[in-house]
Amino acid sequence: MSSRLPRKLRDTIRRRLIHWYRREQRDLPWRRTRDPYRIWLSEMMLQQTRVETVIPYYERFLERFPTVDVLASADEEDVLREWAGLGYYARARNLKRAAEHIVRDHGSMVPEDARQLGALPGIGRYTVGAIRSIAFRKPAALVDGNVNRVLSRLFAEPHFTDAALWGLAEALVSPSSPHEFNQGLMELGATVCVPRKPACERCPLTGQCEARQMDRPEDFPASKPKPPPKEVQAVSGILSRGGTRWLMLRRPSKGLLGGLWEVPSMEGDNPKALLAQLEERTGLRASIKSELGTLRHIFTHRALTLRVLELQAEGGRLKRSADARWVDAHELSELPLSRLIQKTLKLADVHPSR
DNA sequence: AAATCGGGGTT
DNA sequence: AACCCAGATTT
């Protein structure tokens, strides 16, 4: 693959991109540090998540978990709570598990070695390249959505294979300043070479860009048609005790919203089934007191229509369990809650308070 | 190779 | 409403 990249072109791209990045880079929190732990954290949060969304989470997370040792010895629930609202919660569980590995097996130091990094949970090919190039200044390549778009346009290739893309990235990466080159590629994709209406007049690589030459930047890369999210019905029930405590259940650790807390819920549109499941799981009997309303919530691959009911306690006693609790408004604020549950509680006029 | 896994900003 | 974001993991 590198054989198809003339050395002169490679050097021009490197030089122009790095110069542009030095001049135009945004001032972002993780660009003010070389602490590998902080670089790693930023990369985990930035997976499929925009810079502007991540910044406040990043700052708060580091106040609470300033070092890999603090993170490794923290409770998973506390880690999830700092992550709540950011999405893709497996990232937080993997981050915590990886921190434990690093403390136990690597003397609390984030490893430089690609194999050791890649063996950590939640760290794939992209994140290995990001940590090695940005934190350790190793000439490691990386490919993310931005890099894919920039390279596809540079070479007017609508359907790069992964192998071709990674081969190009490896051939291109600057050995003398890999951190600036890689971040420059991503920065360009994020601020100039954007998916729609790219600002080619501000691009340092217009002279090298084949898509620009064809005046068709938006044709690259070709986007694949994605199936629409599957429509799903669900029903939730709010059960309170004296209007001051509410029944909350912990979701299983794996799968959708794993490890987060929710009100009793189930798929389908059958309130009686919900009541039956509630009694089965908690030992509590309840009836339906009122309809609070309907919520619409879109996940990436699922479109949820949720009926929210107010339940009325009819007896029984809560089985002792780590996964079911009566919580007051303060305790509610200390549980990791997804956006969906935050919306559900709001609809029921239940407000977590610190 | 395709499906799963959140949430939100842009256009 | 469509698109996609500093992707990883499971199936």
Side-chain angles (χ1 to χ4, degrees):
Chain A
M1 184 41 56
S2 56
S3 60
R4 272 196 260 152
L5 178 66
R7 191 165 55 222
K8 186 171 172 187
L9 174 60
R10 180 197 71 186
D11 292 343
T12 303
I13 291 172
R14 280 179 183 166
R15 186 175 353 102
R16 298 183 65 88
L17 184 64
I18 288 174
H19 284 165
W20 174 84
Y21 178 70
R22 287 176 180 162
R23 206 170 55 244
E24 301 291 339
Q25 65 173 284
R26 291 168 291 177
D27 178 21
L28 304 176
W30 43 90
R31 289 181 179 163
R32 291 172 165 258
T33 181
R34 283 195 59 169
D35 179 354
Y37 168 64
R38 294 180 176 233
I39 305 293
W40 169 40
L41 174 65
S42 75
E43 294 301 340
M44 292 299 294
M45 288 188 163
L46 286 163
Q47 288 169 13
Q48 294 293 285
T49 310
R50 292 165 188 284
V51 164
E52 304 74 36
T53 305
V54 164
I55 290 174
Y57 281 89
Y58 176 82
E59 306 276 23
R60 265 188 283 116
F61 196 98
L62 280 174
E63 281 180 33
R64 180 81 199 256
F65 310 107
T67 68
V68 67
D69 288 286
V70 173
L71 178 59
S73 53
D75 288 338
E76 185 188 90
E77 184 142 312
D78 293 333
V79 178
L80 277 174
R81 182 154 53 84
E82 290 304 319
W83 208 274
L86 200 50
Y88 286 142
Y89 299 98
R91 292 184 295 175
R93 300 193 301 272
N94 286 333
L95 182 72
K96 157 80 173 141
R97 278 205 297 143
E100 294 168 0
H101 279 287
I102 290 171
V103 168
R104 187 186 331 111
D105 302 336
H106 303 292
S108 300
M109 304 286 283
V110 176
E112 294 189 27
D113 180 75
R115 291 183 54 86
Q116 292 181 347
L117 277 173
L120 295 169
I123 299 187
R125 195 173 181 182
Y126 162 81
T127 308
V128 169
I131 294 172
R132 279 173 51 74
S133 62
I134 299 171
F136 297 115
R137 312 295 208 244
K138 303 291 183 190
L142 60 75
V143 174
D144 74 335
N146 292 305
V147 174
N148 175 32
R149 185 169 55 255
V150 170
L151 295 185
S152 296
R153 287 175 178 170
L154 268 178
F155 299 94
E157 172 53 68
H159 300 289
F160 265 134
T161 63
D162 275 3
L165 219 39
W166 278 90
L168 251 186
E170 281 163 13
L172 279 168
V173 64
S174 161
S176 58
S177 194
H179 64 292
E180 291 179 304
F181 180 83
N182 282 341
Q183 293 186 92
L185 222 40
M186 294 190 284
E187 188 82 344
L188 190 65
T191 63
V192 174
C193 195
V194 292
R196 277 173 293 187
K197 306 185 75 168
C200 296
E201 69 283 356
R202 289 194 286 118
C203 179
L205 301 179
T206 42
Q208 290 68 44
C209 184
E210 293 184 28
R212 167 65 171 172
Q213 217 160 6
M214 300 161 66
D215 203 29
R216 284 173 29 202
E218 293 185 74
D219 290 357
F220 309 94
S223 60
K224 307 160 191 152
K226 285 164 201 162
K230 185 180 161 197
E231 290 291 338
V232 178
Q233 282 275 340
V235 55
S236 290
I238 312 280
L239 182 56
S240 87
R241 217 176 65 184
T244 60
R245 301 182 85 86
W246 295 272
L247 180 66
M248 298 296 292
L249 307 177
R250 186 182 182 278
R251 293 179 62 88
S253 300
K254 293 184 177 180
L256 186 67
L257 307 177
L260 275 66
W261 290 73
E262 64 180 359
V263 297
S265 305
M266 78 179 294
E267 212 172 289
D269 188 21
N270 186 344
K272 285 188 175 175
L274 176 65
L275 296 179
Q277 179 193 267
L278 175 65
E279 180 168 5
E280 157 96 25
R281 182 166 169 196
T282 67
L284 295 169
R285 280 177 285 111
S287 60
I288 294 161
K289 186 175 179 185
S290 69
E291 291 264 354
L292 292 172
T294 300
L295 280 177
R296 180 91 174 148
H297 190 79
I298 311 293
F299 299 109
T300 301
H301 59 292
R302 213 167 292 191
L304 183 65
T305 303
L306 180 68
R307 265 179 79 187
V308 183
L309 310 173
E310 181 183 16
L311 304 184
Q312 169 75 51
E314 299 289 356
R317 191 169 182 77
L318 181 59
K319 286 188 209 167
R320 243 187 104 63
S321 152
D323 295 344
R325 289 168 50 190
W326 291 107
V327 302
D328 62 22
H330 175 68
E331 293 167 322
L332 199 51
S333 73
E334 296 183 327
L335 293 179
L337 306 176
S338 69
R339 287 286 189 235
L340 172 60
I341 292 302
Q342 292 177 29
K343 282 199 280 183
T344 306
L345 291 170
K346 189 172 181 180
L347 176 66
D349 207 31
V350 176
H351 303 285
S353 71
R354 315 229 61 172

